[in-house]
Amino acid sequence: MDSDDLGLFGPGSVTWKVHAEPVLLVAGLRSLYLQALHPRAMAGVAQNSDYRADAWGRLVRTATYVATTVYGTTAEAEAAGSRLRRLHERLHAIDPITGERFRIDEPDLLRWVHVAEVESFLDTARRAGVPLTPAEVDGYYTEQRRAAALVGLDPATVPGTAEEVADYYRAVRPELRMTREAAETALFLTAPPVPWKLSLPIRLGLTLGPPRWAYLGVAGTALALLPAWARRMYGGLGLPTTALSADATVRGLRLALAALPQRWREGPLQQAARERAARSVGTSPTP
């Protein structure tokens, strides 16, 4: 394996520009709220995983997968995609509306999960203040077709521009609805169990300490960042003022995260990728 391989994207890509932003942690949560509105996609998760018992472990694994596809070497990204495809091809679920048994790696489901995720990343980044031209927005969606191919999708069938993503949402919206599983998942995402390292103060009655308040703030922001039609499905009003408030909050969060030391803002995969990129041009990585 080439130790200086820059992976699927590289330092000149829009993907690296977008994913360099720690504020995308809010985007990840936004995408989960959005994905839950698809009955089959939600059934696939609920019937094949015990996510309530291992919520934080699942979150870490998902974040690691995304980081690997964005910042890993080509071999690492392809290996991660291969593992995910092998896992998905063995899993089935029952449609909660029709009772039909289906494979969870159906292209329509994979495409929904992919689009909801990448649109959440991009929309959150833009609303947080990351400067992106219309050409860069389309470039991000086009680049992310490479990530879609890793999970088994034909890139030609995946929206590759902002206009195509908007068209896709309009086409898929009739299939979306608030099911019991979606409502339960949304409630769980908003108030998940606290990691064991924080469990002692909770047992002592400090249930609304700083970590809990901070997470509730992030979850509320993620919900408010949803498209107006999705907020209405969750019982919100979809008002423009909600979106404006979410924009202000996520911009403030981005500024706060930017003030942290770089070693806290970057994961090991991102750091390794930055070092490989520096070696490829014969410079030292930015401290």
Side-chain angles (χ1 to χ4, degrees):
M1 181 175 64
D2 184 355
S3 62
D4 287 340
D5 176 84
L6 296 178
L8 300 181
F9 304 105
S13 66
V14 188
T15 294
W16 273 31
K17 179 177 180 178
V18 169
H19 286 263
E21 297 289 336
V23 77
L24 289 198
L25 63 92
V26 182
L29 191 54
R30 177 195 189 272
S31 74
L32 295 177
Y33 282 118
L34 189 55
Q35 289 165 4
L37 293 174
H38 194 297
R40 280 204 178 201
M42 187 65 256
V45 173
Q47 297 174 30
N48 286 285
S49 70
D50 190 12
Y51 67 90
R52 289 180 175 86
D54 187 28
W56 298 100
R58 182 180 177 85
L59 180 63
V60 169
R61 289 190 294 273
T62 300
T64 299
Y65 175 82
V66 173
T68 301
T69 62
V70 171
Y71 291 113
T73 64
T74 301
E76 289 170 340
E78 290 177 346
S82 178
R83 288 192 296 270
L84 191 62
R85 292 195 304 275
R86 289 197 302 271
L87 173 64
H88 285 170
E89 68 186 11
R90 302 195 304 266
L91 302 179
H92 296 76
I94 304 298
D95 188 307
I97 298 171
T98 67
E100 177 189 3
R101 178 178 169 87
F102 64 92
R103 289 175 53 133
I104 71 166
D105 62 354
E106 289 182 350
D108 286 348
L109 298 184
L110 295 176
R111 189 160 34 251
W112 164 251
V113 171
H114 171 82
V115 174
E117 180 178 79
V118 299
E119 186 272 332
S120 289
F121 285 144
L122 186 65
D123 185 71
T124 300
R126 295 185 74 189
R127 294 168 69 177
V130 178
L132 294 167
T133 66
E136 286 178 314
V137 169
D138 286 347
Y140 177 77
Y141 285 130
T142 300
E143 290 173 3
Q144 285 301 307
R145 283 174 161 169
R146 302 169 201 167
L150 291 179
V151 301
L153 284 166
D154 176 355
T157 69
V158 177
T161 66
E163 182 178 2
E164 290 176 359
V165 169
D167 289 343
Y168 171 79
Y169 275 157
R170 281 190 289 270
V172 79
R173 278 177 59 183
E175 302 175 28
L176 309 181
R177 54 183 49 84
M178 175 56 65
T179 62
R180 178 179 58 82
E181 288 176 330
E184 291 176 350
T185 298
L187 180 60
F188 180 82
L189 289 172
T190 304
V194 175
W196 70 268
K197 290 183 180 180
L198 300 177
S199 62
L200 179 58
I202 285 178
R203 290 170 186 162
L204 295 176
L206 304 179
T207 56
L208 288 177
R212 175 66 79 183
W213 280 121
Y215 180 83
L216 286 173
V218 170
T221 301
L223 268 170
L225 287 169
L226 287 171
W229 53 264
R231 296 202 307 274
R232 287 192 292 270
M233 294 180 71
Y234 274 112
L237 297 178
L239 297 175
T241 51
T242 303
L244 291 174
S245 176
D247 291 353
T249 300
V250 78
R251 282 176 178 266
L253 180 58
R254 178 181 179 235
L255 291 175
L257 292 171
L260 296 174
Q262 188 171 28
R263 66 182 182 278
W264 294 0
R265 291 184 280 116
E266 291 185 347
L269 285 164
Q270 185 178 355
Q271 293 172 4
R274 185 163 52 82
E275 291 168 1
R276 293 197 307 275
R279 288 196 298 268
S280 72
V281 296
T283 63
S284 299
T286 303

